[in-house]
Amino acid sequence: MRVLVIGSGAREHALVLALRKDPAVTALFAAPGNPGTALHAQNHPVDPSSGDSVAALAAELSADLVVVGPEVPLVLGVADAVRAAGIACFGPSAAAARIEGSKAFAKDVMTAAGVRTAHSEIVDTPAELDDALDRFGPTWVVKDDGLAAGKGVVVTADRLAARDHGAELLEQGHPVLLESFLDGPEVSLFCLVDGETVVPLLPAQDHKRVGDGDTGPNTGGMGAYTPLPWLPPETVTAIVDDVVKPVAAEMVRRGCPFSGLLYAGLAIGAAGPAVVEFNCRFGDPETQAVLALLDSPLGELLHATATGTLAEVAPPRWRDGSAITVVIAAENYPGRPRLGDVILGAGESAADATTSVMHAGTALRADGALVSAGGRVLNVVGTGADLAEARANAYARITGIKLPGSHFRTDIGLAAVEDRITV
């Protein structure tokens, strides 16, 4: 099987690494890829948001399967263009990708499916915003109704900060979604979905805020770990049965069946799981940890999902132990990051089987030096017999990486290790 992975981040690097281990994958390509994917796949330039360009490249490479990593190409219909060219594609249609592209659409689907989620309102004017703020709080959740790469959300007890964020979104011409605050620890559950067939992967927990102790502004994600020692297995079953399957069935009923990776972000409160959001693709950085423990051939799972045969494939097998991802970010991230700094110590080491380094925002300079090229620059993945060992391995690996001005959270997974998370 010849596989083309679309995207350029650490998620795509993780997908490439996992696909490389599948004996059925005979050729592996990434477009546009990054310096990390280039070590394991052939990189090809492409505009990942152009369906025509991606479909043409897939045909040129005689790809048997295209795997679309990021959400923007999916919302823009890249998967539709690939399938129209007669090539199997892992990723939902543009119609189904609205589950992430429009929070209003997602809320409507959840309401119809009877799925618990936060109460919400959408506002289009400053006057509506002021009125709505009076109906929410004292913790306000203010979101961009469209795609915002994980950074369009403000959760605050400060009404003025909530209003400022909403007003800024309105000035940019974006509708604003206000939600009631959901308490309880958050869980990311990835599910392979083929129509009404739902196959869960390992649950993970992301760390969205930039600073230790969940302080500072939201980011695209500063780290994640899996599995979750504090989450009862029956809760995962309940999420699949009471959340993901009803939503998948409702998408079928609406004539836009979901095919690909449906990501449910949930809060596990006193009344049970409630959906914070849905995403239409593998999450970043949770994917990097989840795939580190996958023992099944990834290509087989993705191809079966893309071709409507997921129900015929054996459930995923997982290695024992834990995995963690820690993001190394550029100076000033999540603001305008400093770019172009030389990175040292990020090379692969065959001697260390417990860690790996994923490229998230890197580039090669003309002289061959590896430099920073984005806000989230590298992901360090550590594995171990338990979460404490995985954490120790990841943070030990980070000490050998040098990037001027960079920063990372030192507490990824720490609350779980210290048994401070309860359901």
Side-chain angles (χ1 to χ4, degrees):
M1 179 165 52
R2 299 168 65 84
V3 183
L4 169 62
V5 176
I6 301 298
S8 61
R11 165 184 49 217
E12 289 73 39
H13 191 170
L15 286 165
V16 164
L17 282 178
L19 286 164
R20 184 177 64 100
K21 299 173 184 175
D22 185 340
V25 176
T26 55
L28 193 51
F29 312 96
N34 61 42
T37 62
L39 300 174
H40 307 286
Q42 292 180 22
N43 281 359
H44 290 268
V46 78
D47 176 359
S49 297
S50 168
D52 290 344
S53 298
V54 171
L57 177 62
E60 177 187 333
L61 297 174
S62 299
D64 300 299
L65 175 66
V66 174
V67 179
V68 182
E71 63 273 22
V72 172
L74 293 167
V75 169
L76 294 177
V78 167
D80 299 279
V82 172
R83 281 191 279 266
I87 301 168
C89 186
F90 181 85
S93 65
R98 287 179 295 165
I99 196 80
E100 177 171 2
S102 169
K103 294 178 180 65
F105 175 79
K107 290 289 185 182
D108 190 53
V109 169
M110 284 186 274
T111 299
V115 169
R116 290 188 65 244
T117 186
H119 168 67
S120 66
E121 293 183 27
I122 293 180
V123 300
D124 296 295
T125 69
E128 290 177 349
L129 175 63
D130 286 329
D131 288 343
L133 286 170
D134 292 338
R135 294 190 290 274
F136 288 81
T139 297
W140 287 269
V141 181
V142 185
K143 297 182 176 182
D144 188 331
D145 184 51
L147 297 177
K151 292 177 284 187
V153 181
V154 163
V155 180
T156 179
D158 184 338
R159 188 184 190 281
L160 181 58
R163 189 190 187 284
D164 287 346
H165 182 60
E168 181 182 357
L169 293 174
L170 290 174
E171 286 176 7
Q172 297 169 359
H174 298 185
V176 174
L177 183 81
L178 279 82
E179 288 186 337
S180 57
F181 178 69
L182 295 173
D183 63 348
E186 292 197 5
V187 172
S188 301
L189 184 65
F190 299 168
C191 293
L192 300 173
V193 176
D194 164 17
E196 294 194 43
T197 301
V198 175
V199 176
L201 306 185
L202 289 179
Q205 186 177 61
D206 188 12
H207 296 62
K208 283 290 187 186
R209 300 213 180 238
V210 70
D212 283 3
D214 293 326
T215 57
N218 271 354
T219 71
M222 293 299 293
Y225 66 95
T226 189
L228 308 182
W230 48 268
L231 187 70
E234 57 268 24
T235 304
V236 173
T237 302
I239 293 169
V240 172
D241 291 343
D242 301 337
V243 175
V244 184
K245 285 184 176 180
V247 165
E250 175 62 18
M251 299 285 277
V252 170
R253 191 190 68 79
R254 290 175 179 233
C256 53
F258 196 95
S259 171
L261 194 290
L262 188 56
Y263 163 158
L266 310 108
I268 313 298
V275 175
V276 176
E277 64 180 358
F278 275 107
N279 292 330
C280 65
R281 37 70 196 187
F282 277 104
D284 185 348
E286 300 101 319
T287 298
Q288 291 83 294
V290 170
L291 292 185
L293 297 181
L294 181 64
D295 201 33
S296 297
L298 180 62
E300 178 185 43
L301 290 167
L302 302 188
H303 187 265
T305 304
T307 56
T309 59
L310 181 60
E312 302 170 18
V313 176
R317 300 184 308 275
W318 302 97
R319 286 189 283 277
D320 292 336
S322 295
I324 186 173
T325 307
V326 182
V327 172
I328 299 177
E331 182 176 343
N332 200 42
Y333 177 80
R336 184 185 297 274
R338 174 173 154 172
L339 308 178
D341 287 309
V342 174
I343 304 164
L344 300 176
E348 297 185 340
S349 172
D352 185 3
T354 63
T355 62
S356 55
V357 179
M358 310 290 177
H359 291 235
T362 68
L364 289 178
R365 211 166 56 186
D367 63 0
L370 184 68
V371 297
S372 58
R376 294 188 294 176
V377 182
L378 298 169
N379 290 186
V380 176
V381 178
T383 58
D386 55 26
L387 183 54
E389 184 176 302
R391 272 180 46 84
N393 290 335
Y395 282 108
R397 182 71 178 86
I398 288 174
T399 62
I401 297 173
K402 308 301 178 187
L403 172 61
S406 63
H407 59 97
F408 57 90
R409 283 185 58 162
T410 65
D411 63 347
I412 304 300
L414 183 59
V417 170
E418 295 179 346
D419 200 22
R420 291 189 279 115
I421 303 178
T422 56
V423 176

